Amino acid sequence: DRKARELSKLEIVEYCVEPKFDGASISLIYENDQLLRAATRGDGVTGDEITTNTKKIKSVPLSAKFSNYGIEQIEIRGEVLINKNNFKAYNQKLMEEGVPPLANPRNAAAGSLRIKDTAEVGRRNLEAFLYHVSYIINGHLSTAKDKQPETHSGMLEMLWMLGFRSPKKEMKVVKGIDKVIEYIHEFEIERDNLPYEIDGMVIKVDSLALQDRLGMTSHHPRWAIAYKFKARQGTSKLIGVEFQVGRTGAVTPV
């Protein structure tokens, strides 16, 4: 907050606070109102092509009227996840079939995006939350019916209106860092009651013009930061140790 205020020369910065979904990151590109391509985040430059599997996710529209806003091409980023109830039901089915259950919802979502059987993707009931517009290429702005949003929260509203599952209901726009902290604490208390896994909150400067002014470092935006909740803790009991002998004669305890 101190850095954002110093760089923006504002006394109070308006922020959008939203959940940090614990799933698998995806990137969607729409061109002329049609879903053109879906990819995993990969290493940040190159990801895996997952268009066919993504089309099986009910909350990802195959087409959306971006042209109403004068948008010709748009990239949207988001997270694919399985809600807790669907994950339990799917694991129960696997155990009944004598197949080992999946470890956790996050791995289940990430693995689903890469499997070859598209019908299996449909059976897993994946959901996609879309939370960020990365870039826009404008087409015929003169014929646009609606004005493009000037804030991040406005972009989330736009996505919601176009049929995407954006965190419109979960986000909150607040003035000043004290209100941000207040909302984070409220959300952490309710964390276990949510139908999906989150591992923190993301705080973003709401004004897109101010985001541009704040810019980026070499590896992260200056206008956004993640606050991670405390990791869940459990107790393990060590029952035994086996000693393995490697080909070089090295003994390794397992």
Side-chain angles (χ1 to χ4, degrees):
D1 177 63
R2 177 179 52 77
K3 281 182 187 170
R5 284 186 290 112
E6 279 173 8
L7 289 165
S8 65
K9 297 182 172 56
L10 293 171
E11 280 184 38
I12 293 178
V13 174
E14 195 162 67
Y15 295 106
C16 182
V17 191
E18 60 199 64
K20 185 176 180 298
F21 300 103
D22 194 16
S25 296
I26 58 160
S27 171
L28 306 177
I29 292 176
Y30 285 79
E31 193 172 272
N32 299 322
D33 294 346
Q34 302 297 315
L35 175 60
L36 179 71
R37 187 181 305 114
T40 63
R41 183 174 59 186
D43 60 7
V45 177
T46 307
D48 295 329
E49 166 91 34
I50 51 163
T51 311
T52 309
N53 284 356
T54 302
K55 285 179 176 177
K56 291 287 180 184
I57 302 171
K58 292 182 184 125
S59 50
V60 174
L62 299 180
S63 64
K65 288 298 247 177
F66 288 110
S67 53
N68 285 353
Y69 295 85
I71 296 168
E72 188 177 296
Q73 191 184 81
I74 186 169
E75 184 196 22
I76 316 162
R77 298 210 176 156
E79 208 86 0
V80 171
L81 36 86
I82 300 181
N83 83 33
K84 293 171 187 173
N85 291 337
N86 286 344
F87 178 69
K88 260 189 213 159
Y90 185 75
N91 261 352
Q92 186 61 44
K93 209 164 77 182
L94 288 181
M95 288 191 285
E96 284 166 11
E97 292 166 5
V99 180
L102 300 170
N104 57 57
R106 187 181 190 279
N107 290 2
S112 305
L113 294 175
R114 292 182 179 85
I115 57 179
K116 297 280 189 280
D117 183 1
T118 52
E120 177 62 20
V121 179
R123 281 195 291 273
R124 291 191 183 189
N125 283 322
L126 300 175
E127 295 173 41
F129 272 95
L130 284 308
Y131 54 69
H132 182 68
V133 172
S134 306
Y135 75 78
I136 284 172
I137 294 172
N138 289 319
H140 305 291
L141 284 173
S142 56
T143 58
K145 295 178 189 169
D146 301 297
K147 191 171 178 286
Q148 282 180 29
E150 293 175 355
T151 59
H152 170 71
S153 57
M155 285 291 186
L156 297 184
E157 293 262 2
M158 178 187 81
L159 292 175
W160 182 270
M161 297 296 287
L162 290 171
F164 292 86
R165 182 98 181 265
S166 77
K168 174 188 174 291
K169 293 181 178 175
E170 295 84 357
M171 72 169 183
K172 191 171 188 180
V173 177
V174 295
K175 285 190 169 153
I177 201 66
D178 292 335
K179 294 283 184 192
V180 168
I181 293 164
E182 205 177 284
Y183 188 54
I184 285 172
H185 289 320
E186 278 174 33
F187 225 95
E188 190 162 17
I189 292 162
E190 288 297 310
R191 177 187 183 187
D192 289 330
N193 300 327
L194 293 171
Y196 40 80
E197 292 286 351
I198 67 168
D199 57 0
M201 302 293 281
V202 183
I203 303 110
K204 298 174 182 173
V205 170
D206 198 36
S207 160
L208 298 180
L210 187 49
Q211 285 185 10
D212 282 344
R213 262 168 58 202
L214 294 175
M216 316 267 285
T217 69
S218 57
H219 61 79
H220 69 270
R222 288 195 184 95
W223 44 264
I225 197 163
Y227 173 85
K228 295 287 282 274
F229 293 147
K230 290 186 190 77
R232 290 205 175 97
Q233 293 186 323
T235 304
S236 294
K237 185 177 181 182
L238 182 64
I239 296 163
V241 178
E242 290 178 8
F243 293 92
Q244 291 182 347
V245 182
R247 59 187 175 80
T248 58
V251 178
T252 311
V254 180

